[in-house]
Amino acid sequence: MVFEEKMIMNGEPEVEEEEEEEEEDMVDPLETMRQKCVETEHCVHTQARLEECETRVGSRSTEEDCTEELFDFLHARDHCVAHKLFHSVK
């Protein structure tokens, strides 16, 4: 009986550790696709505009924000993701 208790107590953490290792190795395919799309020319351009705006707004006190630039970047990236994703689903 004591041996069975030790086996249960000592055996379970090893199983959990293996599951945790497997979860760490998993990569979200959507994040991978987003990263590839960020590297496209249009996304690079809109991301540069966003970063320029953030630098400009951060360097002085102004009511300006970078909402338009952020939306432009997200739209460009998500448009690329949608195109690649739905093209591969067909």
Side-chain angles (χ1 to χ4, degrees), residues 68-86:
E68 183 178 345
E69 289 82 356
L70 174 61
F71 285 166
D72 287 345
F73 168 70
L74 294 175
H75 177 75
R77 184 197 65 189
D78 291 345
H79 180 76
C80 171
V81 169
H83 179 72
K84 289 183 182 219
L85 178 68
F86 291 119

Side-chain angles (χ1 to χ4, degrees), residues 31-86:
E31 286 300 317
T32 303
M33 194 171 294
R34 282 181 177 160
Q35 187 59 37
K36 287 180 182 177
C37 283
V38 166
E39 297 168 0
T40 64
E41 183 179 345
H42 187 61
C43 286
V44 168
H45 174 72
T46 56
Q47 186 173 22
R49 284 186 51 224
L50 174 61
E51 290 172 358
E52 289 170 10
C53 180
E54 289 175 340
T55 301
R56 184 177 64 247
V57 169
S59 66
R60 56 188 163 135
S61 60
T62 180
E63 291 185 21
E64 178 185 15
D65 62 12
C66 299
T67 304
E68 183 178 345
E69 289 82 356
L70 174 61
F71 285 166
D72 287 345
F73 168 70
L74 294 175
H75 177 75
R77 184 197 65 189
D78 291 345
H79 180 76
C80 171
V81 169
H83 179 72
K84 289 183 182 219
L85 178 68
F86 291 119

Side-chain angles (χ1 to χ4, degrees), residues 1-40:
M1 181 82 172
V2 174
F3 177 73
E4 292 175 353
E5 289 177 3
K6 285 184 181 181
M7 197 167 127
I8 290 173
M9 295 175 115
N10 292 334
E12 290 180 357
E14 290 176 15
V15 172
E16 289 177 11
E17 288 176 14
E18 289 176 14
E19 289 175 6
E20 288 176 14
E21 288 176 11
E22 289 176 12
E23 289 176 12
E24 290 175 11
D25 293 338
M26 293 177 53
V27 177
D28 184 4
L30 181 59
E31 286 300 317
T32 303
M33 194 171 294
R34 282 181 177 160
Q35 187 59 37
K36 287 180 182 177
C37 283
V38 166
E39 297 168 0
T40 64

